[in-house]
């Protein structure tokens, strides 16, 4: 008389799933979480930021020639005084340039004869980021039209900026020509870091600098995700090796 062997429902795959211990389940969860963090962080950076190479020393010492920066895409509508932006203007030659916004639409920006400080709407502005605190160049006074920006380099004696183009719309650039706001330097490694906002222009009307973007949390999400995947995979490999040795023994 033949005997009937009962097989567990669901086949071998179901048996394998039922035999997975808490450690294996935790490993799978951690790997999934690490993958989500890694891909999510990179996706945010790729979607919102672009790299740019700094060709000249016009923004020294804030940005040096040869630096590679990450700038968050913007349409120019939320640009504030003090922002370092990437823009392109046909009057300026149509090339991508990086300068600091020192005045926005409706402002009157000026440097008087012999003055060492910029004024915006009649209020002196202390600019701690300048390469030379006593260098502003030739005197000028411009009323910035609505929807336009007045931009200067931090290296005032070595920057071709709004002062050079005063004959065309007072040297101003349409805010719509701004492509991105610079938020970090990534290359060279010795200069890697976030570009801090400046409070230099708060005295004008109390407007605070733009807040930090998602670059830092997205970067750390990617780092934590990669570390989680590596550590979890290493622990799983060691645990598997120990189990195999125990079975062999």
């Amino acid at each position: 008389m033949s005997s009937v062997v009962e097989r567990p429902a669901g086949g071998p795959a179901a048996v394998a799933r039922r035999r997975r211990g808490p450690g294996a389940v935790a490993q799978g969860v951690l790997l999934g979480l690490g993958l989500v963090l890694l891909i999510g962080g990179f996706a945010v950076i790729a979607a919102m930021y672009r790299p740019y190479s700094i060709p000249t020393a016009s923004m020294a010492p804030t940005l040096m020639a040869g630096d590679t920066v990450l700038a968050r895409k913007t349409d120019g509508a939320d640009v504030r005084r003090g922002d370092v932006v990437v823009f392109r203007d046909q009057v300026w030659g149509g090339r991508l340039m990086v300068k600091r916004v020192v005045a926005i639409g409706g402002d009157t920006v000026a440097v008087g004869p012999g003055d060492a400080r910029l004024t915006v709407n009649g209020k002196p502005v202390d600019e701690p980021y300048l390469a030379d605190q006593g260098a502003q160049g030739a005197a000028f006074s411009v009323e910035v039209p609505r929807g336009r920006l007045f931009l200067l380099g931090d290296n005032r004696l070595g920057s071709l900026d709004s002062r050079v183009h005063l004959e065309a719309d007072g040297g101003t650039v349409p805010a719509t020509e701004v492509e991105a706001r610079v938020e970090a330097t990534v290359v060279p490694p010795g200069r890697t870091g976030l570009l801090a906002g400046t409070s230099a222009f708060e005295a004008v009307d109390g407007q605070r600098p733009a807040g930090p973007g998602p670059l830092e949390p997205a970067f750390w999400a990617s780092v934590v995700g990669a570390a989680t995947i590596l550590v979890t995979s290493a622990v799983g490999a060691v645990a598997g090796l120990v189990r195999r040795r125990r079975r062999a023994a």
Side-chain angles (χ1 to χ4, degrees), residues 140-162:
F140 66 87
S141 180
V142 173
E143 184 175 344
V144 183
R146 296 290 178 183
R148 300 183 74 88
L149 307 169
F150 197 88
L151 304 108
L152 299 178
D154 289 356
N155 181 8
R156 296 287 156 85
L157 295 183
S159 175
L160 301 178
D161 46 39
S162 288

Side-chain angles (χ1 to χ4, degrees), residues 193-212:
L194 295 175
L195 186 66
T198 179
S199 59
F201 294 87
E202 284 189 35
V204 177
D205 61 3
Q207 184 185 61
R208 300 182 62 83

Side-chain angles (χ1 to χ4, degrees), residues 48 72-79 85-87 147 149 173-181:
M48 301 185 67
R72 180 156 50 115
K73 299 174 186 177
T74 178
D75 59 4
D78 62 343
V79 171
V85 297
V86 180
F87 66 98
L149 307 169
V173 171
T176 52
E177 295 300 318
V178 172
E179 294 190 4
R181 177 189 291 114

Side-chain angles (χ1 to χ4, degrees), residues 13-239:
V15 174
R17 284 194 297 270
R18 284 196 293 270
R19 287 179 180 174
R20 293 183 66 188
V25 173
Q27 182 183 6
V29 171
L30 287 173
L31 286 173
L33 177 62
L35 192 61
V36 168
L37 289 172
L38 177 62
I39 295 177
F42 272 119
V44 168
I45 295 173
M48 301 185 67
Y49 291 86
R50 286 186 58 189
Y52 294 90
S53 178
I54 306 300
T56 72
S58 68
M59 279 298 294
T62 306
L63 303 173
M64 306 298 290
D67 284 356
T68 297
V69 301
L70 282 181
R72 180 156 50 115
K73 299 174 186 177
T74 178
D75 59 4
D78 62 343
V79 171
R80 304 185 182 193
R81 304 181 196 94
D83 286 351
V84 177
V85 297
V86 180
F87 66 98
R88 187 194 306 270
D89 187 70
Q90 296 305 317
V91 176
W92 293 28
R95 295 178 298 172
L96 280 176
M97 304 186 74
V98 179
K99 304 292 179 187
R100 189 182 296 273
V101 177
V102 299
I104 58 177
D107 289 343
T108 296
V109 56
V111 170
D115 286 351
R117 285 201 295 180
L118 187 81
T119 65
V120 178
N121 300 336
K123 297 181 179 180
V125 178
D126 292 316
E127 300 179 275
Y129 43 76
L130 294 184
D132 185 343
Q133 293 296 322
Q136 289 289 352
F140 66 87
S141 180
V142 173
E143 184 175 344
V144 183
R146 296 290 178 183
R148 300 183 74 88
L149 307 169
F150 197 88
L151 304 108
L152 299 178
D154 289 356
N155 181 8
R156 296 287 156 85
L157 295 183
S159 175
L160 301 178
D161 46 39
S162 288
R163 299 168 299 174
V164 179
H165 302 280
L166 292 176
E167 74 286 351
D169 296 305
T172 62
V173 171
T176 52
E177 295 300 318
V178 172
E179 294 190 4
R181 177 189 291 114
V182 178
E183 291 192 1
T185 302
V186 293
V187 176
R191 290 178 48 77
T192 299
L194 295 175
L195 186 66
T198 179
S199 59
F201 294 87
E202 284 189 35
V204 177
D205 61 3
Q207 184 185 61
R208 300 182 62 83
L215 179 60
E216 186 174 19
F219 168 77
W220 284 114
S222 297
V223 170
V224 171
T228 300
I229 292 172
L230 290 174
V231 172
T232 303
S233 300
V235 171
V238 171

